[in-house]
Amino acid sequence: MPQVLQSAAERAVRYLEKLPARRVGPSEEAVRALAAFEESFPEGPSAPEEVIAMLDDAGSPATMGMAGPRFFGWVIGGTLPAALAAHWLAAAWDQNAGLFIASPIAATLEEVSQRWLLDALGLPAGCGAAFVTGATVANFTALAAARHAVLERVGWDVESRGLFGAPEIQVVAGEEAHPSLVKSLGMLGMGRDRVIRVPTDSQGRMRAELLPELRSPGIVCLQAGNVNTGAFDPAREIIPRARAMSAWVHVDGAFGLWAAASPRYRYLVEGFAGADSWATDAHKWLNVPYDSGLAFVRSPDHLHSAMSLSAAYLPQGEHREPSQYVPELSRRARGVEIWAAMKSLGRSGLAELVDRCCRCARRFADGLSAMGFEVLNDVLLNQVLVSFGAPEVTERVIAGIQEDGTCWCGGTVWQGRHAMRISVSSWATTEADIDRSLEAILRVARAAGAKRAPSPNARQ
Ligand SMILES: *Cc1c(COP(=O)(O)O)cnc(C)c1O
């Protein structure tokens, strides 16, 4: 046992050390070499060291450099050293985090993290919390609590009776709501296509004046941080109106909610704390390993009603029982890494992490504008959308930068315009990484024949 762990740790450290100098995307050759894994189920055992050696030798080269400093593909962050080390230790513990009696340490670190998270994110101290796999399931979990509460108000117990014959819930979301939020609504039987979509503005923000009249039961879903532009729905205007119509307000703040942790960017989330529930990710901006998402619900009872389960063989004590607040029963102890990340950063470190990502995004935008390329969004947070001219030219630049390997950026279509999408969300990214990436983008853009169009942003 110890030898294989030692060797895995050494290999992991070597991998991480080499990562900043390696190409970010895997080479075609490395992807082709994955053929080594295409064998049929082995008839007999292999030595654990051999298993790990194969994983590292053939597997590591075919990874995407997401843990490194110049991966800007999606808003997904890296992993802080303390969070990764805690993840290793917690894996050795192999705790089932379902009940306090099963794992006092897992339950305790969830409780502590819950308090710290609510504090850092500026949410009400008494909220209930669910430690789930990601924002998709966090949306699902929070919206299950919403479904419970709005139907309870009209005298319907949805957990026991289901939705058959239930009063119809009106659900509202912006045109730019994340597809995973709409999927969550579908999984809850509220229908992906039944959602009333509110038109959005040039940044993807819901237009508050177009919020429809709602009758009870109703749910209004806001977004804190659009996945393309980083923009926030106008919570201060919408939440009081939704409340006046007795609607539940849910916030999808997968990464944007973390702006609250920075005194400089906190203004962006003003008003969002007035909602009833929130979904966010820890594996994005908090930089902990996958899978780690969080749902918060103003009234813990609503979350508990939607998620609780009882069985004679599952004793429940005085403590908060983690499994009473999440879809899963057995699961790993996600609170461990969240605690480790927050303990290692502290309030100032977390604010600095958010600030640095935003500052780096600004540096990207300014650099691209100065080169004469058009930045399509207002860069207020960590997201940058840039066009290199005609759609096919922008697509060539995106393919070119992925092939070049200095950094990795993906593409999107924003309001009909093809764009390269740059997300800065890793603790490992520095200003020097932005400058290196800008040089590479300029080189690739020239080779792709991109014209340096004078852009409005460049003139500002
Ligand atoms: C990333 C994201 C999601 C989905 O989160 P997962 O952790 O991938 O499930 C949902 N909403 C928004 C706004 C996001 O950015």
Side-chain angles (χ1 to χ4, degrees), residues 35-114:
F37 291 101
E38 304 289 348
E39 54 180 347
S40 46
F41 183 34
E43 291 304 327
S46 300
E49 277 108 294
E50 276 170 39
V51 174
I52 294 305
M54 178 176 175
L55 195 57
D56 188 29
D57 296 343
S60 292
T63 55
M64 174 71 82
M66 290 176 178
R70 289 184 305 283
F71 177 80
F72 307 115
W74 296 280
V75 207
I76 55 182
T79 295
L80 288 159
L84 177 57
H87 184 69
W88 287 353
L89 186 57
W93 290 348
D94 192 26
Q95 299 292 281
N96 186 325
L99 296 173
F100 187 96
I101 193 177
S103 180
I105 179 61
T108 299
L109 291 183
E110 275 198 13
E111 273 183 63
V112 173
S113 308
Q114 175 174 347

Side-chain angles (χ1 to χ4, degrees), residues 32-250:
R32 269 200 306 274
L34 290 175
F37 291 101
E38 304 289 348
E39 54 180 347
S40 46
F41 183 34
E43 291 304 327
S46 300
E49 277 108 294
E50 276 170 39
V51 174
I52 294 305
M54 178 176 175
L55 195 57
D56 188 29
D57 296 343
S60 292
T63 55
M64 174 71 82
M66 290 176 178
R70 289 184 305 283
F71 177 80
F72 307 115
W74 296 280
V75 207
I76 55 182
T79 295
L80 288 159
L84 177 57
H87 184 69
W88 287 353
L89 186 57
W93 290 348
D94 192 26
Q95 299 292 281
N96 186 325
L99 296 173
F100 187 96
I101 193 177
S103 180
I105 179 61
T108 299
L109 291 183
E110 275 198 13
E111 273 183 63
V112 173
S113 308
Q114 175 174 347
R115 280 203 306 278
W116 291 1
L117 287 160
L118 293 171
D119 177 356
L121 298 174
L123 300 179
C127 283
F131 291 70
V132 295
T133 55
T136 303
V137 176
N139 278 320
F140 171 84
T141 305
L143 288 164
R147 188 182 66 166
H148 167 86
V150 298
L151 286 176
E152 186 186 46
R153 272 181 222 150
V154 293
W156 189 268
D157 179 348
V158 70
E159 279 72 36
S160 56
R161 301 171 74 183
L163 284 174
F164 305 101
E168 187 172 331
I169 304 171
Q170 287 186 305
V171 183
V172 173
E175 285 286 5
E176 275 292 330
H178 196 274
S180 72
L181 178 114
V182 181
K183 172 179 167 177
S184 304
L185 290 165
M187 290 194 288
L188 287 161
M190 295 196 271
R192 294 188 189 199
D193 293 345
R194 279 186 61 261
V195 181
I196 305 165
R197 306 300 287 259
V198 178
T200 48
D201 68 10
S202 66
Q203 299 301 311
R205 290 172 297 222
M206 216 192 269
R207 288 175 54 192
E209 75 278 12
L210 298 181
L211 185 75
E213 285 301 319
L214 296 176
R215 44 176 169 67
S216 186
I219 299 173
V220 175
C221 301
L222 298 183
Q223 181 163 255
N226 176 282
V227 83
N228 282 309
T229 63
F232 294 72
D233 282 337
R236 266 179 308 175
E237 291 160 60
I238 291 179
I239 292 180
R241 289 181 46 202
R243 285 212 174 283
M245 298 186 287
S246 301
W248 176 285
V249 181
H250 171 70

